[in-house]
Amino acid sequence: MLRIAIQKSGRLFEDSIALLRDAGIVLGSSPSRLLRAQASNFPLEVIFLRDDDIPEYVEEGVVDAGVVGENVVLEKNKSIQIIDRLGFGKCRMCIAMPKNAKYSGLESLNNLRIATTYNRILTDFLAKKHIRAEIHAISGAVEIAPSLGLADAIFDIVGTGSTLLANGLREVETLLESEALLIAGPSLPPDKQEILDRLLFRLNANRNAKGHRYILMNAPNARIPDIIRLLPGMKSPTVLPLALEGWSSLHSVVPEAIFWDVLEQLKQAGAEGILVIPIERMIV
Ligand code: ATP
Ligand code: ZN
């Protein structure tokens, strides 16, 4: 049985649940109100925690794995392993200042008071850059600190930037881009590692599927070599004869990132009746 911690409620909750659901894992009873939920079709138990507690619980082995923001992982600095980057919960970690404050590069931060809940990340960054600022470690509502006169700048996570705007602040430095991570304890016993690997296999199958499209087209046989050259494919495209003499159907898998370009080139190369189909799962 693998115990995995996810955020009990908040910005990571829905996506974490969706991650497990897309991996085919069915959680018994409505998970949102409970502290734990057991999967009915996979050896997994989900524990719902505050995100800030997850790295420590993972390090201590109270849970085997967890889903938590990179911002929290870096700040807590526990000995855990990062297993996977999950592609949701994206935000930036930024220094922001009042709109009208003068800023002309990092040196402008010297001697300023910066409020943050991310003491460690900010301290490390400023030390690395040889900036001497005064850090005010506070526990929340960082963005109102400048207007209260508590600080000259803040360091915090920023999603859309609307909170900054609403508080009359502007971003002056981005220290890092964060996303949700799958983390695990420093060394899992083999039976738990095996379950984690099975989970990872499913996450990868979903990710690959989302990053690719299945494409089908018809083409005159004379055009097939040109068309094959355009198709990056998993191995080589499938070529099947059509009932119509001299024509074939070609099937292939194309990365999402390039499929529009490929589509245009295929058309120019003589492909007709091109169909693009989403892929549900993909194992490479
Ligand atoms: P908890 O009650 O679990 O302590 P929280 O209030 O600390 O929750 P949330 O606001 O729910 O945290 O955010 C959880 C995580 O979501 C953040 O640590 C960050 O990794 C991520 N995140 C993604 N987008 C945003 C955003 N726009 N603003 C803040 N956090 C974001
Ligand atoms: Zn939190």
Side-chain angles (χ1 to χ4, degrees), residues 124-178:
D124 289 353
F125 174 79
L126 294 178
K128 210 171 72 197
K129 300 290 181 185
H130 308 290
I131 303 292
R132 265 172 294 103
E134 190 185 317
I135 298 176
H136 278 247
I138 59 180
S139 60
V142 170
E143 61 285 345
I144 62 167
S147 63
L148 295 177
L150 283 173
D152 308 302
I154 65 162
F155 172 60
D156 205 0
I157 44 180
V158 178
T160 57
S162 55
T163 309
L164 290 186
L165 209 64
N167 286 282
L169 300 170
R170 72 183 168 106
E171 232 171 287
V172 295
E173 292 287 339
T174 300
L175 271 53
L176 66 114
E177 311 265 341
S178 172

Side-chain angles (χ1 to χ4, degrees), residues 95 103-110 125-126 129 131 173 175:
I95 297 174
Y103 186 80
S104 51
L106 283 175
E107 314 76 51
S108 303
L109 298 174
N110 271 314
F125 174 79
L126 294 178
K129 300 290 181 185
I131 303 292
E173 292 287 339
L175 271 53

